[in-house]
CSV table of all heavy atoms in Angstrom, one decimal:
chain,number,residue,atom,x,y,z
A,189,THR,N,9.5,2.1,5.6
A,189,THR,CA,10.2,1.7,6.8
A,189,THR,C,9.5,0.6,7.5
A,189,THR,O,8.3,0.5,7.5
A,189,THR,CB,10.3,3.0,7.8
A,189,THR,OG1,10.8,4.1,7.0
A,189,THR,CG2,11.2,2.7,8.9
A,190,ASP,N,10.2,-0.3,8.2
A,190,ASP,CA,9.6,-1.3,9.1
A,190,ASP,C,8.9,-0.6,10.3
A,190,ASP,O,9.5,0.3,10.9
A,190,ASP,CB,10.6,-2.3,9.6
A,190,ASP,CG,11.0,-3.2,8.4
A,190,ASP,OD1,10.6,-3.0,7.3
A,190,ASP,OD2,11.8,-4.2,8.7
A,191,VAL,N,7.7,-1.1,10.6
A,191,VAL,CA,6.9,-0.5,11.7
A,191,VAL,C,6.4,-1.5,12.7
A,191,VAL,O,6.0,-2.6,12.3
A,191,VAL,CB,5.7,0.2,11.0
A,191,VAL,CG1,4.8,0.8,12.1
A,191,VAL,CG2,6.1,1.3,10.1
A,192,ILE,N,6.5,-1.1,14.0
A,192,ILE,CA,5.8,-1.8,15.0
A,192,ILE,C,4.7,-0.9,15.5
A,192,ILE,O,5.0,0.2,16.0
A,192,ILE,CB,6.7,-2.2,16.2
A,192,ILE,CG1,7.8,-3.1,15.7
A,192,ILE,CG2,5.9,-2.9,17.3
A,192,ILE,CD1,8.9,-3.4,16.8
A,193,GLY,N,3.4,-1.2,15.3
A,193,GLY,CA,2.3,-0.3,15.6
A,193,GLY,C,1.5,-0.9,16.8
A,193,GLY,O,1.1,-2.0,16.8
A,194,GLN,N,1.3,0.0,17.7
A,194,GLN,CA,0.5,-0.4,18.9
A,194,GLN,C,-0.5,0.7,19.3
A,194,GLN,O,-0.1,1.8,19.4
A,194,GLN,CB,1.5,-0.6,20.1
A,194,GLN,CG,0.9,-1.1,21.3
A,194,GLN,CD,1.9,-1.3,22.5
A,194,GLN,OE1,3.1,-1.1,22.3
A,194,GLN,NE2,1.4,-1.7,23.6
A,195,ALA,N,-1.7,0.3,19.4
A,195,ALA,CA,-2.8,1.2,19.8
A,195,ALA,C,-3.9,0.5,20.4
A,195,ALA,O,-4.1,-0.7,20.2
A,195,ALA,CB,-3.3,2.0,18.6
A,196,LYS,N,-4.8,1.2,21.2
A,196,LYS,CA,-5.9,0.5,21.8
A,196,LYS,C,-6.8,-0.1,20.7
A,196,LYS,O,-6.9,0.4,19.6
A,196,LYS,CB,-6.7,1.6,22.6
A,196,LYS,CG,-6.1,2.1,23.8
A,196,LYS,CD,-6.9,3.1,24.5
A,196,LYS,CE,-6.2,3.7,25.6
A,196,LYS,NZ,-7.0,4.7,26.3
A,197,THR,N,-7.5,-1.2,21.1
A,197,THR,CA,-8.3,-1.9,20.2
A,197,THR,C,-9.5,-0.9,19.8
A,197,THR,O,-10.0,-0.2,20.7
A,197,THR,CB,-8.8,-3.2,20.8
A,197,THR,OG1,-9.7,-3.8,19.9
A,197,THR,CG2,-9.6,-3.0,22.1
A,198,GLY,N,-9.9,-0.9,18.6
A,198,GLY,CA,-11.0,-0.1,18.2
A,198,GLY,C,-10.6,1.3,17.7
A,198,GLY,O,-11.4,2.2,17.6
A,199,THR,N,-9.3,1.4,17.4
A,199,THR,CA,-8.8,2.8,16.9
A,199,THR,C,-8.4,2.8,15.5
A,199,THR,O,-7.7,3.7,15.0
A,199,THR,CB,-7.6,3.2,17.8
A,199,THR,OG1,-6.6,2.2,17.9
A,199,THR,CG2,-8.1,3.5,19.2
A,200,GLY,N,-8.6,1.7,14.7
A,200,GLY,CA,-8.4,1.8,13.3
A,200,GLY,C,-7.1,1.3,12.8
A,200,GLY,O,-6.5,1.9,11.8
A,201,LYS,N,-6.5,0.3,13.4
A,201,LYS,CA,-5.2,-0.2,13.0
A,201,LYS,C,-5.2,-0.8,11.6
A,201,LYS,O,-4.3,-0.7,10.9
A,201,LYS,CB,-4.7,-1.3,14.0
A,201,LYS,CG,-4.3,-0.7,15.3
A,201,LYS,CD,-3.6,-1.7,16.2
A,201,LYS,CE,-4.4,-2.8,16.7
A,201,LYS,NZ,-5.5,-2.4,17.6
A,202,THR,N,-6.4,-1.4,11.2
A,202,THR,CA,-6.5,-2.0,9.9
A,202,THR,C,-6.1,-1.1,8.8
A,202,THR,O,-5.3,-1.4,7.9
A,202,THR,CB,-7.9,-2.6,9.6
A,202,THR,OG1,-8.2,-3.4,10.7
A,202,THR,CG2,-7.9,-3.4,8.4
A,203,LEU,N,-6.6,0.1,8.8
A,203,LEU,CA,-6.3,1.1,7.7
A,203,LEU,C,-4.9,1.6,8.0
A,203,LEU,O,-4.2,2.1,7.0
A,203,LEU,CB,-7.3,2.2,7.6
A,203,LEU,CG,-8.7,1.7,7.1
A,203,LEU,CD1,-9.6,2.8,6.9
A,203,LEU,CD2,-8.5,0.9,5.7
A,204,GLY,N,-4.4,1.6,9.2
A,204,GLY,CA,-3.0,2.0,9.5
A,204,GLY,C,-2.0,1.2,8.7
A,204,GLY,O,-1.0,1.8,8.1
A,205,PHE,N,-2.2,-0.1,8.5
A,205,PHE,CA,-1.3,-0.8,7.6
A,205,PHE,C,-1.9,-1.0,6.3
A,205,PHE,O,-1.2,-1.2,5.3
A,205,PHE,CB,-0.9,-2.2,8.3
A,205,PHE,CG,-2.1,-3.2,8.5
A,205,PHE,CD1,-2.7,-3.8,7.4
A,205,PHE,CD2,-2.5,-3.5,9.8
A,205,PHE,CE1,-3.7,-4.7,7.6
A,205,PHE,CE2,-3.6,-4.4,10.0
A,205,PHE,CZ,-4.1,-5.0,8.9
A,206,GLY,N,-3.3,-1.0,6.2
A,206,GLY,CA,-3.9,-1.3,4.9
A,206,GLY,C,-3.7,-0.3,3.8
A,206,GLY,O,-3.4,-0.6,2.7
A,207,LEU,N,-3.7,1.0,4.1
A,207,LEU,CA,-3.6,2.0,3.1
A,207,LEU,C,-2.1,2.0,2.5
A,207,LEU,O,-2.0,2.1,1.3
A,207,LEU,CB,-3.9,3.4,3.7
A,207,LEU,CG,-5.4,3.6,4.1
A,207,LEU,CD1,-5.7,5.0,4.7
A,207,LEU,CD2,-6.3,3.3,2.9
A,208,PRO,N,-1.1,1.9,3.4
A,208,PRO,CA,0.3,1.8,2.8
A,208,PRO,C,0.4,0.6,1.9
A,208,PRO,O,1.0,0.7,0.8
A,208,PRO,CB,1.2,1.7,4.0
A,208,PRO,CG,0.4,2.4,5.1
A,208,PRO,CD,-1.0,2.1,4.8
A,209,LEU,N,-0.2,-0.5,2.3
A,209,LEU,CA,-0.1,-1.7,1.4
A,209,LEU,C,-0.8,-1.5,0.1
A,209,LEU,O,-0.2,-1.8,-1.0
A,209,LEU,CB,-0.9,-2.9,2.0
A,209,LEU,CG,-0.2,-3.6,3.2
A,209,LEU,CD1,-1.0,-4.9,3.5
A,209,LEU,CD2,1.2,-3.9,3.0
A,210,LEU,N,-2.0,-0.9,0.1
A,210,LEU,CA,-2.7,-0.6,-1.1
A,210,LEU,C,-2.0,0.4,-2.0
A,210,LEU,O,-2.1,0.3,-3.3
A,210,LEU,CB,-4.1,-0.1,-0.8
A,210,LEU,CG,-5.0,-1.1,-0.1
A,210,LEU,CD1,-6.3,-0.5,0.4
A,210,LEU,CD2,-5.4,-2.3,-0.9
A,211,GLU,N,-1.3,1.3,-1.4
A,211,GLU,CA,-0.5,2.3,-2.2
A,211,GLU,C,0.7,1.6,-2.9
A,211,GLU,O,1.2,2.0,-3.9
A,211,GLU,CB,0.0,3.4,-1.3
A,211,GLU,CG,-1.0,4.4,-1.0
A,211,GLU,CD,-1.4,5.2,-2.2
A,211,GLU,OE1,-0.5,5.7,-3.0
A,211,GLU,OE2,-2.6,5.4,-2.5
A,212,ARG,N,1.3,0.6,-2.2
A,212,ARG,CA,2.6,0.1,-2.6
A,212,ARG,C,2.4,-0.9,-3.8
A,212,ARG,O,3.3,-1.1,-4.6
A,212,ARG,CB,3.3,-0.6,-1.5
A,212,ARG,CG,3.8,0.3,-0.5
A,212,ARG,CD,5.0,-0.2,0.3
A,212,ARG,NE,6.1,-0.5,-0.5
A,212,ARG,CZ,7.2,-1.1,-0.1
A,212,ARG,NH1,7.3,-1.4,1.2
A,212,ARG,NH2,8.2,-1.3,-0.8
A,213,VAL,N,1.2,-1.6,-3.9
A,213,VAL,CA,1.1,-2.5,-4.9
A,213,VAL,C,0.9,-1.8,-6.3
A,213,VAL,O,0.3,-0.7,-6.3
A,213,VAL,CB,-0.1,-3.5,-4.7
A,213,VAL,CG1,0.0,-4.3,-3.4
A,213,VAL,CG2,-1.5,-2.8,-4.7
A,214,VAL,N,1.5,-2.4,-7.3
A,214,VAL,CA,1.4,-1.8,-8.7
A,214,VAL,C,0.2,-2.4,-9.4
A,214,VAL,O,0.1,-3.7,-9.5
A,214,VAL,CB,2.7,-2.0,-9.5
A,214,VAL,CG1,2.6,-1.4,-10.9
A,214,VAL,CG2,3.9,-1.5,-8.7
A,215,VAL,N,-0.7,-1.6,-9.9
A,215,VAL,CA,-1.9,-2.1,-10.6
A,215,VAL,C,-2.0,-1.4,-11.9
A,215,VAL,O,-1.3,-0.4,-12.2
A,215,VAL,CB,-3.2,-1.8,-9.8
A,215,VAL,CG1,-3.3,-2.6,-8.5
A,215,VAL,CG2,-3.4,-0.3,-9.4
A,216,PRO,N,-2.8,-2.0,-12.9
A,216,PRO,CA,-2.8,-1.4,-14.2
A,216,PRO,C,-3.1,0.1,-14.2
A,216,PRO,O,-2.6,0.8,-15.1
A,216,PRO,CB,-4.0,-2.2,-14.9
A,216,PRO,CG,-4.0,-3.5,-14.2
A,216,PRO,CD,-3.6,-3.2,-12.8
A,217,ALA,N,-3.9,0.6,-13.3
A,217,ALA,CA,-4.2,2.1,-13.2
A,217,ALA,C,-2.9,2.9,-13.1
A,217,ALA,O,-2.8,4.0,-13.6
A,217,ALA,CB,-5.1,2.3,-12.0
A,218,ASP,N,-1.9,2.3,-12.3
A,218,ASP,CA,-0.6,3.0,-12.2
A,218,ASP,C,0.1,3.2,-13.5
A,218,ASP,O,0.8,4.2,-13.8
A,218,ASP,CB,0.3,2.3,-11.2
A,218,ASP,CG,-0.4,2.3,-9.8
A,218,ASP,OD1,-1.1,3.2,-9.5
A,218,ASP,OD2,-0.1,1.4,-9.0
A,219,VAL,N,0.1,2.1,-14.3
A,219,VAL,CA,0.7,2.1,-15.6
A,219,VAL,C,0.1,3.1,-16.5
A,219,VAL,O,0.8,3.9,-17.2
A,219,VAL,CB,0.7,0.7,-16.2
A,219,VAL,CG1,1.4,0.7,-17.6
A,219,VAL,CG2,1.4,-0.3,-15.3
A,220,GLU,N,-1.3,3.1,-16.5
A,220,GLU,CA,-2.0,4.1,-17.3
A,220,GLU,C,-1.6,5.5,-16.9
A,220,GLU,O,-1.5,6.4,-17.8
A,220,GLU,CB,-3.5,3.9,-17.2
A,220,GLU,CG,-4.0,2.6,-17.9
A,220,GLU,CD,-5.4,2.2,-17.4
A,220,GLU,OE1,-6.1,3.0,-16.9
A,220,GLU,OE2,-5.6,1.0,-17.5
A,221,ALA,N,-1.5,5.8,-15.6
A,221,ALA,CA,-1.2,7.1,-15.2
A,221,ALA,C,0.3,7.5,-15.3
A,221,ALA,O,0.7,8.6,-14.9
A,221,ALA,CB,-1.7,7.3,-13.7
A,222,GLY,N,1.1,6.5,-15.7
A,222,GLY,CA,2.5,6.8,-15.9
A,222,GLY,C,3.3,6.7,-14.6
A,222,GLY,O,4.5,7.1,-14.6
A,223,ARG,N,2.7,6.2,-13.6
A,223,ARG,CA,3.5,6.1,-12.3
A,223,ARG,C,4.4,4.9,-12.3
A,223,ARG,O,5.3,4.8,-11.5
A,223,ARG,CB,2.5,6.0,-11.1
A,223,ARG,CG,1.8,7.4,-10.7
A,223,ARG,CD,1.1,7.2,-9.4
A,223,ARG,NE,0.0,6.3,-9.4
A,223,ARG,CZ,-1.2,6.6,-9.7
A,223,ARG,NH1,-1.5,7.9,-10.0
A,223,ARG,NH2,-2.2,5.7,-9.7
A,224,SER,N,4.0,3.9,-13.1
A,224,SER,CA,4.8,2.7,-13.1
A,224,SER,C,5.0,2.2,-14.5
A,224,SER,O,4.3,2.6,-15.4
A,224,SER,CB,4.1,1.6,-12.3
A,224,SER,OG,3.8,2.0,-11.0
A,225,THR,N,5.9,1.3,-14.7
A,225,THR,CA,6.1,0.7,-16.1
A,225,THR,C,5.4,-0.6,-16.2
A,225,THR,O,5.2,-1.3,-15.1
A,225,THR,CB,7.7,0.5,-16.3
A,225,THR,OG1,8.2,-0.3,-15.3
A,225,THR,CG2,8.4,1.9,-16.3
A,226,PRO,N,5.1,-1.1,-17.4
A,226,PRO,CA,4.3,-2.3,-17.5
A,226,PRO,C,5.1,-3.5,-16.9
A,226,PRO,O,4.5,-4.5,-16.5
A,226,PRO,CB,4.2,-2.5,-19.0
A,226,PRO,CG,4.3,-1.1,-19.6
A,226,PRO,CD,5.2,-0.3,-18.7
A,227,ASP,N,6.4,-3.5,-17.0
A,227,ASP,CA,7.2,-4.7,-16.5
A,227,ASP,C,7.1,-4.8,-14.9
A,227,ASP,O,7.5,-5.8,-14.4
A,227,ASP,CB,8.6,-4.6,-16.9
A,227,ASP,CG,9.3,-3.3,-16.4
A,227,ASP,OD1,8.6,-2.3,-16.3
A,227,ASP,OD2,10.5,-3.4,-16.1
A,228,GLN,N,6.5,-3.8,-14.3
A,228,GLN,CA,6.3,-3.9,-12.8
A,228,GLN,C,5.0,-4.6,-12.4
A,228,GLN,O,4.8,-5.0,-11.3
A,228,GLN,CB,6.3,-2.5,-12.2
A,228,GLN,CG,7.7,-1.8,-12.2
A,228,GLN,CD,7.6,-0.4,-11.6
A,228,GLN,OE1,7.1,0.5,-12.2
A,228,GLN,NE2,8.2,-0.2,-10.4
A,229,LEU,N,4.2,-4.8,-13.4
A,229,LEU,CA,2.9,-5.5,-13.2
A,229,LEU,C,3.2,-7.0,-13.0
A,229,LEU,O,4.0,-7.6,-13.6
A,229,LEU,CB,1.9,-5.3,-14.3
A,229,LEU,CG,1.2,-4.0,-14.4
A,229,LEU,CD1,0.4,-3.9,-15.7
A,229,LEU,CD2,0.3,-3.7,-13.2
A,230,THR,N,2.4,-7.6,-12.0
A,230,THR,CA,2.6,-9.1,-11.8
A,230,THR,C,1.3,-9.6,-11.3
A,230,THR,O,0.4,-8.9,-10.7
A,230,THR,CB,3.7,-9.4,-10.8
A,230,THR,OG1,3.7,-10.8,-10.5
A,230,THR,CG2,3.5,-8.6,-9.5
């Protein structure tokens, strides 16, 4: 979902958006684990 995130400075916003980004990208490890197909790699 699209998100507008607002919180005081120093409360960890970087990982608030960083972790979902890192989860969404398809990497070779995902193909090995069977979570993704090779054609999704780029």
Side-chain angles (χ1 to χ4, degrees):
T189 311
D190 284 6
V191 173
I192 300 175
Q194 183 179 359
K196 288 179 188 179
T197 182
T199 51
K201 290 191 290 294
T202 307
L203 292 182
F205 64 73
L207 296 179
L209 286 191
L210 296 169
E211 280 294 311
R212 291 204 61 185
V213 300
V214 179
V215 293
D218 296 332
V219 178
E220 286 161 27
R223 285 191 296 267
S224 307
T225 56
D227 59 328
Q228 289 176 290
L229 283 175
T230 172

